[in-house]
Amino acid sequence: MSIVYLNGSYMPLEEAKISPMDRGFLFGDGIYEVIPSYDGKLVGFGPHIDRMNEGLELIGINFQWTQNQWREVCSALTDKNEGSNLGVYLHVSRGADTKRFHAYPEDIEATVFAFVFEIPPAPVAEKAAVKGYKVSTTEDLRWKRCNIKSTALLGNVMHFQHGHAEGNNETILYNAEQNMTEGSACNAYIVKDGVVITPPLDSQILPGITRLMLLDILRKDGSIQVEERAVSMEEVRNADEVWLTSSSKEIAPVIELDGVAVGDGQVGDVWQQAQALYSAAKYNY
Ligand code: PDD
């Protein structure tokens, strides 16, 4: 049975109830995080909480917990629930109003919800053991503030479903200039001639914590060159390797794009090197 946290209490999932007038339910008016935990050890905890606090501030939800308050909830949930590979989902919505009205009241109390769910074991840096992703591509039709980790995910859901309906694991998105933005639920990269290239942070993409950590780890190590710049879809289609990153998958190698092999269709050497570096350093954040 799953034990969840809701507004100050721990309870079985079946007992967790919120008002249908909650603005998270009616408008998707909230911010969320997903933090991976392996054997009770959280990955990137500090940066995840910083991003959550920034998101809350950006959408004007007047709610800030300290890192210690969040850590207590995360630890309690990983202790109370079974499983060693867990994603900790944290969610703060603006709260329940008495009516449905777009403008929000100032005195509204935020709804705080958290639960854990099973994620795959962390990948090991072995080509034979890792799952190669097959992805679709489509134009990015989301809003202009994709840097906010909003619970309003209909655009992402529809884009993910596009790839899923084509029998693929993800969907890589591109903007009107035919430049790659990100995946529907992950950041995206190419590798060309040994250089890892990923779009720069702006309002078209989520500032992924896995991305933040990976780029920092690669730059500190120095053996793989990293560039943050616009990446055209033509470059994506001619890349030696394509990768996706997110908290629940770390670095996922893409082996097929719209039914066409990426590079030689095999998981790449640079992926293996980068995943090994990431695995060795991921608990330092
Ligand atoms: N997805 N871009 C988008 C649109 C995302 O939804 C995510 C994460 C990322 C990667 O961010 P991070 O490395 O911080 O997980 C990039 C999460 C896991 C989700 O919605 O389930």
Side-chain angles (χ1 to χ4, degrees):
M1 189 205 311
S2 174
I3 300 294
V4 307
Y5 172 91
L6 180 64
N7 295 331
S9 308
Y10 296 91
M11 61 193 79
L13 176 61
E14 296 71 29
E15 289 172 24
K17 303 274 186 284
I18 60 155
S19 165
M21 298 311 282
D22 195 286
R23 292 180 59 97
F25 179 67
L26 292 176
F27 295 116
D29 186 353
I31 295 291
Y32 77 105
E33 275 299 328
V34 176
I35 309 179
S37 168
Y38 301 104
D39 297 319
K41 281 186 286 176
L42 295 160
V43 178
F45 175 78
H48 275 285
I49 299 304
D50 288 347
R51 181 175 65 184
M52 179 157 214
N53 285 334
E54 280 159 26
L56 290 167
E57 212 172 303
L58 280 168
I59 68 167
I61 292 185
N62 194 11
F63 179 93
Q64 298 275 321
W65 267 5
T66 61
Q67 294 215 352
N68 281 345
Q69 285 171 294
W70 282 119
R71 193 178 277 282
E72 201 181 304
V73 171
C74 292
S75 303
L77 288 176
T78 55
D79 287 351
K80 288 175 195 289
N81 287 286
E82 281 172 21
S84 42
N85 310 314
L86 296 170
V88 185
Y89 178 90
L90 307 176
H91 173 127
V92 178
S93 82
R94 200 178 302 273
D97 197 353
T98 51
K99 56 188 181 305
R100 180 182 177 277
F101 181 51
H102 286 57
Y104 43 85
E106 288 306 322
D107 57 353
I108 193 166
E109 199 175 326
T111 300
V112 184
F113 174 54
F115 71 97
V116 295
F117 60 99
E118 216 174 314
I119 58 173
V124 285
E126 277 172 33
K127 290 185 192 180
V130 73
K131 165 180 154 181
Y133 272 58
K134 297 182 178 184
V135 306
S136 297
T137 65
T138 195
E139 187 178 356
D140 193 339
L141 298 177
R142 300 172 301 162
W143 70 332
K144 293 181 177 166
R145 302 190 72 181
C146 293
N147 54 313
I148 300 174
K149 199 163 172 66
S150 157
T151 56
L153 286 172
L154 184 57
N156 303 66
V157 165
M158 290 180 74
H159 283 325
F160 188 90
Q161 188 65 29
H162 171 87
H164 184 70
E166 291 185 346
N168 287 328
N169 312 107
E170 244 293 3
T171 307
I172 286 182
L173 308 172
Y174 52 86
N175 63 19
E177 287 76 48
Q178 301 288 312
N179 289 329
M180 177 169 77
T181 54
E182 60 179 342
S184 69
C186 49
N187 291 114
Y189 310 71
I190 64 164
V191 179
K192 190 69 187 175
D193 299 328
V195 181
V196 177
I197 313 167
T198 196
L201 293 185
D202 60 21
S203 59
Q204 298 181 89
I205 69 170
L206 187 81
I209 303 305
T210 320
R211 177 190 185 281
L212 172 95
M213 291 166 51
L214 174 63
L215 297 190
D216 191 55
I217 289 166
L218 294 182
R219 284 181 173 131
K220 280 186 178 141
D221 173 74
S223 58
I224 302 172
Q225 203 188 318
V226 177
E227 278 179 26
E228 288 175 83
R229 63 160 174 82
V231 180
S232 72
M233 285 310 285
E234 201 187 330
E235 287 181 286
V236 177
R237 297 194 193 286
N238 290 303
D240 300 328
E241 299 181 30
V242 175
W243 306 342
L244 304 173
T245 65
S246 80
S247 292
S248 54
K249 59 174 85 73
E250 299 196 349
I251 315 170
V254 176
I255 54 167
E256 206 181 282
L257 200 70
D258 291 331
V260 179
V262 172
D264 60 4
Q266 307 295 314
V267 174
D269 292 336
V270 187
W271 170 81
Q272 182 160 299
Q273 206 185 332
Q275 180 62 57
L277 291 168
Y278 187 87
S279 301
K282 69 181 178 187
Y283 294 113
N284 301 341
Y285 292 82

